Amino acid sequence: RQKLLLTYWKNLLKQDRMGTMHDFFLLGGQSLQAIKLLAFIEDQFAVKICLTEFYRCPTVKGIDTAIENKLFIHQGENECLIT
C-alpha cells in the first residue's frame, strides 16, 4: 500500500526523490492536489480520509496508518473520523 501511495505522490507532485516520511506540503503539495490524492485513496482502498485528517498526517506513512485504522479498527467505516 505504501509503495502505491508513494508512486502516486511522486507523480502528483512531480518529485523523483521522496520517502514515506516526507511531508506532502513541504514537498510543494497544495490543497487541490491533496483532494486529488484523497479521491485516489477512496477509489483504490474504499476508505474515505477527510482533508482535516490528511493535514494531521501528511506523509505516506501517516496516511497508510490512517487507512489501516479505518480498514481494521473501524471495519471499513466510510466516514471521516475527526478526533
Side-chain angles (χ1 to χ4, degrees), residues 12-25:
L12 185 65
L13 298 175
K14 297 175 179 43
Q15 297 271 345
D16 288 330
R17 295 178 183 242
M18 63 186 309
T20 59
M21 293 301 293
H22 285 104
D23 185 293
F24 180 86
F25 298 105

Side-chain angles (χ1 to χ4, degrees), residues 37-71:
L37 173 63
L38 298 179
F40 171 80
I41 290 168
E42 189 170 357
D43 182 55
Q44 291 294 310
F45 305 111
V47 168
K48 186 170 186 169
I49 304 290
C50 289
L51 194 55
T52 53
E53 290 176 287
F54 182 67
Y55 280 123
R56 283 197 307 261
C57 54
T59 65
V60 168
K61 187 165 179 60
I63 289 301
D64 184 54
T65 300
I67 291 169
E68 184 155 332
N69 287 341
K70 292 208 177 214
L71 289 174

